[in-house]
Amino acid sequence: DIATVSGKGGLYKVFKPAKSGVILESLDEAKTKIVATANNRLSILSEISIYTTTKEGTVPLADVLKKIHAEYGADLGLDAEADPTELKSFIKSVIPDYDESRVYVSDIKKLVKWYGIILKYASEIVKPVPNE
């Protein structure tokens, strides 16, 4: 599983359980290991969704990442430091019915950063499953 830890940048691979929490390994060249304890807010990527105005109310992040990969591949045409207007246009092109009042520019920046990390270190997440 891939996780994010509140207050720490980047993404982490869930490595193994430890006495005081879970050992995580950063998804980057450094492969830094940290222990996430009960005091850390840990979110597993497969449990994260993006708010929409649809009847369902959300779309799973994994589906969004796959859609970005299908439409843009490795070149999004922008980065996380892009102009807020460009970032909003980008997400609207991927999720036309995203909830503009609940999805902030900071969320879109995080999505763009995470996509780059996942593409480089865990590309199996965004590649379509055969027969999908």
Side-chain angles (χ1 to χ4, degrees), residues 56-114:
E56 293 80 24
T58 62
V59 61
L61 181 62
D63 293 356
V64 174
L65 293 169
K66 286 179 182 177
K67 190 168 182 190
I68 291 171
H69 188 262
E71 290 184 27
Y72 292 93
D75 184 14
L76 300 182
L78 53 76
D79 63 19
E81 300 311 313
D83 180 74
T85 308
E86 285 182 69
L87 290 165
K88 287 178 182 178
S89 290
F90 166 73
I91 198 161
K92 195 150 194 73
S93 74
V94 178
I95 314 169
D97 48 11
Y98 87 98
D99 189 336
E100 295 182 43
S101 66
R102 295 171 75 188
V103 178
Y104 304 107
V105 171
S106 60
D107 299 324
I108 305 168
K109 287 182 177 191
K110 207 178 290 183
L111 173 66
V112 170
K113 283 181 188 171
W114 288 356

Side-chain angles (χ1 to χ4, degrees), residues 3-90:
T4 179
V5 179
S6 183
K8 299 201 179 288
L11 295 173
Y12 296 85
K13 181 179 169 189
V14 177
F15 205 61
K16 62 183 176 182
K19 284 182 182 178
S20 60
V22 180
I23 298 173
L24 304 174
E25 181 181 79
S26 63
L27 278 183
D28 58 17
E29 287 86 17
K31 302 281 184 221
T32 308
K33 288 188 175 72
I34 64 168
V35 177
T37 65
N39 297 334
N40 298 111
R41 209 170 83 216
L42 183 74
S43 298
I44 304 296
L45 248 49
S46 60
E47 298 171 354
I48 297 174
S49 296
I50 295 178
Y51 292 114
T52 65
T53 56
T54 62
K55 190 174 80 178
E56 293 80 24
T58 62
V59 61
L61 181 62
D63 293 356
V64 174
L65 293 169
K66 286 179 182 177
K67 190 168 182 190
I68 291 171
H69 188 262
E71 290 184 27
Y72 292 93
D75 184 14
L76 300 182
L78 53 76
D79 63 19
E81 300 311 313
D83 180 74
T85 308
E86 285 182 69
L87 290 165
K88 287 178 182 178
S89 290
F90 166 73

